[in-house]
Amino acid sequence: MSNPRPIAIQNARIVDPGSGYDGPGAVIVTEGVIAEVARTATIANLSADIEIIDAASAMLIPGLIDLRVKTGEPGSEPKETLKSASRAAAAGGVTSIVLQPDTDPAIDDPAMVDFILRRARDIEGVHVYPAGACTQGLEGERMAEIGLMHEAGAVYFTDADRSIGDSKVLRRVLSYARGFNALVAHRPADPYLTAGACATEGELAGRLGLAGAPAIAERIMLERDLALAELTGARLLVDQITTADALETLARAKAKGIKVVASASINHLRFNEVDIGDYRTFYRLDPPLRTEADRQALIDALASGLIDVVVSAHAPAPAEDKRLPFSESTPGAVGLETLLPALLAFHHEERVPLIDLIRAVTIAPARLLGLSAGRIAKGAPADLVLCDLDAPVRIDADKLQSKSKNSPFDGRMLQGQVRLTLVDGRTAFQLA
Amino acid sequence: MDSAPRDGSDIEQLIAERAFRFPSRHFLSVAKLTRPDADALLNLADAFVGLNRRPEKKISTLRGHTLVNLFFEASTRTQSSFELAGKRLGADTVNMSPRTSSMTKGETLIDTAMTLNAMKPDILIVRHSASGAADLLAQKVSCSVVNAGDGGHEHPTQALLDALTLRRAFGDVAGLTVAICGDVLHSRVARSNVGLLQLLGAHVRLVGPPTLMPSGAADWGVEVFHDMKAGLRDVDVVMMLRLQLERMDGAFVPSTREYFRYWGLDAEKLAYARPGVKVMHPGPMNRGVEIDSGVADDPAVSLIQDQVEMGVAARMAVLASLAARLDNGPAAGGV
């Protein structure tokens, strides 16, 4: 799958939020790096041994960087392995993934960080970066080895789906992480208000007889998290904001100058609680789906830049974990292969400018993690995606590369077909 | 309505006249019933009341059919009510309580259902502690599924028997004001009753402490009261709900005695209702917690024993009308 020869991609529409450029262009890739970027359709005087790819006006973007991905490796390999997740990512135009630490065993020490990085090197797929746990065993009590994991290559710290209820613990995690200038991600969900819930409290959950948590549980925890970020001066990533109420809180904190960024999952941007319908477990997510008003507020926040990053929240769950009564099913959805076309829907619906959508999955997460990827610039890694912006795609869950097929987009029509994915100049995916 | 004595053949004639084909393969929720469906089911159930009161109670509507009671949650009343209903219609009935067998060995709900499905039952009656469990089963099996209670979602045959009880006590459900009182939050009985009573033209009130009221209840087209005396003012019917005792100990309400003081039904609170008020309870009752024995046992106001009787008739109506869909053979006519 490697490309020893230099490659020229010509006749492309380059969309590069890093430089703010959206227009005709061509690039030359040599030895895994972008050697030249031209803002013209073609590049003259190409050497004879170069492989020329005619983009035929397709969109050329930096490979996507997905900050929130779960696989089943180690611990639950039948759900998803690094290899299958990597294939899914490449097929979806995602060239870097950040793994959540809630594996079995958890990524809560430097040996586990090292293990993941070595496994990823063996696979030679997309770039894999582990996130480390904030607390040992993700139990929210004792701090994990944040410094050593940071040094070993953990790109940020999080207890994944769990909120740290004890304010003293989170305060120490934030203070300590600040010493390493490490980024801490935290899920804003009051653990007491959300305990046992599988839906958002309201008319719908009440009628379906599903235990609901009030949406305000998100704002309550976010207010505290932001106060602690202010107190400690640490960098905080709000993991998957979902409610209009919390967005107001976030906007105030940003205006005040608190060092906070926020992510939103593509699922909460595309679906609302009504999609649960007759107990469809593929729409059981964590956080649960919200009202349409919340979803609209989330889209507005993406358009305004209040939300910095969009994630797939890829969470594979095999059929046996989903073919259960709603409250007993495992939350989560796969999303690596659908992230890009689902995000492009906001361009096709004329809700958010194309370049802003691409920013939230490329240069924004790259800057957050300090990666040199996420841009189409001379010297940057040749992580590139060629995508037919308008091509219709029908999502067929059975044909997804993930080992688990729990896609809420199953059967839906989207637009945006990935034709080619390069990772360090290697062809990681090519449309048949 | 049909309380006038009839001889045996008259009743069977009446049942045949009122034979009804259930509108869908499964009975999972009252939400999918139309007014004519509900009326037809109640008319048929009414005829079965007559049958159940004569010495020879067994007919052959379901002869040759197999009925499986699949109760993942313990229930004496509902399970025996369905069992009797099936037997009186001539079906072979089997009771299964998987909570004591394979479910504990890691077999899932779907596995159990698929196993039973392979034994070719005609009707599967399911009770499960998770909302939506009956829906899920219905998607996976080839027989008819009757929801006998799924978590906090619905218990549609309970609503049907309550409507039958009310129709026989008042002549008509339309225009009645019914207060459903107690733990509405966790109650499938409340949800099914709200739906069916509204379909039949009753005014529905929900009464209970704020901690036991679903947050969206005000959008259900009902009036919500937290003060029981205000909630009972001028009502025709008080429908009490069972309160799980484990929810009493400071979790949702501070104590049993405090609950009884404010939301337990006693003669004093009942006096706010309209003269001739009737009291209902789906059972089993927590006497002295949600209802005072003096009220529960007062034949002038209590319909609680009638509800049990109507339960068998209402379930016979559901089973017979589902069977009418199952085949177009001789059993389809009803008798």
Side-chain angles (χ1 to χ4, degrees):
Chain A
M1 294 288 272
S2 65
N3 301 315
R5 290 163 63 194
I7 307 168
I9 301 174
Q10 308 210 85
N11 296 314
R13 172 185 175 184
I14 290 181
V15 179
D16 177 41
S19 59
Y21 182 70
D22 178 353
V27 297
I28 293 177
V29 171
T30 29
E31 293 176 357
V33 173
I34 297 172
E36 196 177 335
V37 182
R39 292 188 174 182
T40 51
T42 55
I43 296 173
N45 304 322
L46 292 172
S47 64
D49 67 334
I50 205 159
E51 178 188 348
I52 296 175
I53 295 170
D54 182 6
S57 302
M59 175 173 74
L60 183 69
I61 54 174
L64 274 55
I65 298 168
D66 188 345
L67 288 187
R68 199 180 208 287
V69 173
K70 295 189 189 194
T71 76
E73 190 171 344
S76 310
E77 285 79 0
K79 282 185 187 179
E80 188 91 288
T81 58
L82 286 176
K83 195 165 189 173
S84 63
S86 180
R87 272 202 305 268
V94 177
T95 55
S96 298
I97 59 177
V98 179
L99 301 181
Q100 296 302 287
D102 55 344
T103 46
D104 182 17
I107 307 175
D108 65 353
D109 70 17
M112 280 301 297
V113 172
D114 194 52
F115 168 79
I116 295 287
L117 290 173
R118 274 188 288 112
R119 285 288 296 138
R121 265 196 302 277
D122 293 345
I123 288 159
E124 290 194 329
V126 301
H127 301 291
V128 175
Y129 300 98
C134 289
T135 63
Q136 296 172 30
L138 300 99
E139 282 177 354
E141 289 165 9
R142 288 169 302 151
M143 217 189 305
E145 291 173 324
I146 289 172
L148 291 175
M149 285 194 281
H150 182 65
E151 195 182 323
V155 290
Y156 69 82
F157 296 89
T158 177
D159 273 0
D161 302 345
R162 300 197 194 169
S163 299
I164 298 173
D166 187 330
S167 303
K168 181 181 67 190
V169 173
L170 185 63
R171 186 224 171 147
R172 286 180 180 159
V173 165
L174 287 168
S175 296
Y176 191 79
R178 188 184 171 223
F180 295 92
N181 194 29
L183 178 70
V184 173
H186 190 254
R187 164 69 61 82
D190 183 300
Y192 300 102
L193 281 172
T194 54
C198 62
T200 303
E201 187 178 284
E203 192 276 329
L204 186 97
R207 193 153 36 83
L208 292 174
L210 295 175
I216 200 78
E218 180 168 289
R219 193 189 107 201
I220 289 172
M221 188 96 311
L222 182 60
E223 297 270 9
R224 183 207 66 170
D225 294 354
L226 292 167
L228 289 176
E230 188 177 16
L231 176 70
T232 58
R235 296 162 64 212
L236 176 70
L237 166 61
V238 181
D239 177 34
Q240 298 182 73
I241 199 162
T242 61
T243 61
D245 231 9
L247 285 167
E248 280 181 29
T249 299
L250 177 69
R252 276 199 306 276
K254 282 193 166 185
K256 202 174 172 187
I258 297 173
K259 286 188 277 183
V260 59
V261 286
S263 70
S265 95
I266 190 65
N267 299 317
H268 294 90
L269 283 161
R270 291 309 301 172
F271 303 116
N272 67 32
E273 60 178 359
V274 179
D275 286 298
I276 292 170
D278 289 331
Y279 305 99
R280 284 181 288 180
T281 56
F282 280 21
Y283 296 90
R284 176 163 185 207
L285 304 173
D286 179 22
L289 288 171
R290 306 298 190 185
T291 65
E292 177 62 8
D294 287 318
R295 188 180 83 92
Q296 290 299 329
L298 212 56
I299 300 169
D300 290 342
L302 175 61
S304 73
L306 180 59
I307 286 172
D308 303 87
V309 172
V310 175
V311 297
S312 72
H314 185 80
E320 62 265 29
D321 291 351
K322 283 291 189 183
R323 281 194 328 191
L324 290 169
F326 194 84
S327 61
E328 295 172 9
S329 67
T330 302
V334 292
L336 280 167
E337 286 175 79
T338 45
L339 173 60
L340 180 59
L343 189 62
L344 291 175
F346 297 114
H347 158 72
H348 295 296
E349 290 163 6
E350 299 182 353
R351 278 299 294 276
V352 184
L354 182 60
I355 197 159
D356 295 333
L357 293 171
I358 302 301
R359 177 178 297 114
V361 286
T362 56
I363 190 70
R367 285 187 178 141
L368 206 53
L369 303 186
L371 302 178
S372 54
R375 68 205 81 194
I376 300 181
K378 191 170 175 176
D383 295 349
L384 294 166
V385 172
L386 204 53
C387 173
D388 278 333
L389 186 55
D390 297 323
V393 199
R394 177 183 282 283
I395 307 301
D396 178 351
D398 289 334
K399 292 188 179 146
L400 295 176
Q401 299 289 326
S402 282
K403 282 180 118 178
S404 295
K405 311 296 181 189
N406 55 311
S407 171
F409 290 96
D410 186 28
R412 295 193 186 232
M413 291 297 293
L414 296 170
Q415 275 178 282
Q417 173 68 57
V418 173
R419 275 174 50 190
L420 177 70
T421 303
L422 299 182
V423 177
D424 284 337
R426 280 180 291 111
T427 304
F429 171 80
Q430 187 154 26
L431 186 66
Chain B
M1 286 181 95
D2 298 289
S3 48
R6 287 167 168 265
D7 68 35
S9 60
D10 268 4
I11 288 170
E12 293 185 29
Q13 179 63 34
L14 188 66
I15 291 169
E17 284 165 14
R18 293 181 178 181
F20 169 65
R21 197 168 179 273
F22 204 79
S24 55
R25 186 152 67 94
H26 310 294
F27 189 28
L28 304 175
S29 153
V30 300
K32 287 175 181 131
L33 288 181
T34 64
R35 179 68 197 265
D37 294 338
D39 286 338
L41 276 171
L42 289 169
N43 289 339
L44 179 59
D46 208 277
F48 280 120
V49 176
L51 181 75
N52 288 337
R53 285 181 177 178
R54 69 178 198 185
E56 171 55 51
K57 299 179 175 65
K58 191 157 173 168
I59 55 173
S60 58
T61 309
L62 289 184
R63 189 172 59 202
H65 290 311
T66 310
L67 200 94
V68 176
N69 267 326
L70 182 58
F71 278 59
F72 293 93
E73 242 185 13
S75 155
T76 311
R77 179 178 311 240
T78 306
Q79 182 167 331
S80 44
S81 181
F82 270 109
E83 185 179 359
L84 270 180
K87 286 188 164 150
R88 286 185 183 166
L89 291 169
D92 297 313
T93 64
V94 180
N95 291 326
M96 305 206 48
S97 303
R99 81 206 123 83
T100 56
S101 56
S102 12
M103 284 296 280
T104 51
K105 289 184 251 162
E107 190 177 21
T108 67
L109 171 64
I110 300 262
D111 291 335
T112 306
M114 295 307 285
T115 305
L116 288 175
N117 192 48
M119 298 177 194
K120 308 288 178 212
D122 299 289
I123 301 176
L124 200 56
I125 293 148
V126 184
R127 168 167 291 189
H128 194 279
S129 59
S131 300
D135 265 86
L136 180 65
L137 275 194
Q139 292 164 29
K140 306 289 177 188
V141 297
S142 51
C143 60
S144 286
V145 174
V146 177
N147 182 4
D150 62 327
H153 178 224
E154 282 226 27
H155 189 0
T157 59
Q158 177 73 39
L160 200 65
L161 77 87
D162 287 340
L164 180 64
T165 308
L166 287 175
R167 214 174 74 153
R168 292 176 63 96
F170 289 91
D172 196 353
V173 176
L176 293 178
T177 301
V178 181
I180 302 176
C181 306
D183 182 2
V184 179
L185 181 64
H186 300 99
S187 176
R188 52 197 175 211
V189 173
R191 283 168 183 73
S192 288
N193 262 311
V194 168
L196 189 60
L197 288 169
Q198 287 179 336
L199 184 70
L200 296 171
H203 307 289
V204 181
R205 296 179 181 178
L206 299 177
V207 181
T211 46
L212 292 174
M213 198 59 71
S215 70
D219 299 328
W220 294 355
V222 298
E223 282 182 278
V224 176
F225 292 83
H226 302 307
D227 175 344
M228 191 155 180
K229 288 173 183 169
L232 294 196
R233 193 176 296 282
D234 296 331
V235 300
D236 301 291
V237 180
V238 181
M239 208 177 254
M240 296 306 297
L241 300 172
R242 178 178 166 77
L243 182 65
Q244 303 289 337
L245 291 175
E246 63 268 23
R247 293 183 179 131
M248 303 288 300
D249 195 16
F252 288 87
V253 290
S255 66
T256 314
R257 65 177 188 183
E258 180 158 335
Y259 185 79
F260 187 73
R261 166 81 178 266
Y262 297 108
W263 294 283
L265 185 65
D266 55 14
E268 189 207 337
K269 296 193 194 81
L270 193 59
Y272 286 82
R274 191 165 285 171
V277 65
K278 296 293 182 190
V279 172
M280 304 172 84
H281 193 296
M285 285 181 278
N286 294 308
R287 292 169 182 268
V289 177
E290 72 250 359
I291 192 162
D292 182 66
S293 280
V295 173
D297 301 333
D298 180 354
V301 299
S302 174
L303 292 175
I304 296 170
Q305 293 311 312
D306 302 64
Q307 287 175 276
V308 180
E309 183 189 356
M310 295 309 130
V312 179
R315 287 169 181 129
M316 288 171 81
V318 170
L319 297 177
S321 52
L322 281 170
R325 276 188 74 83
L326 282 178
D327 48 39
N328 296 307
V335 188

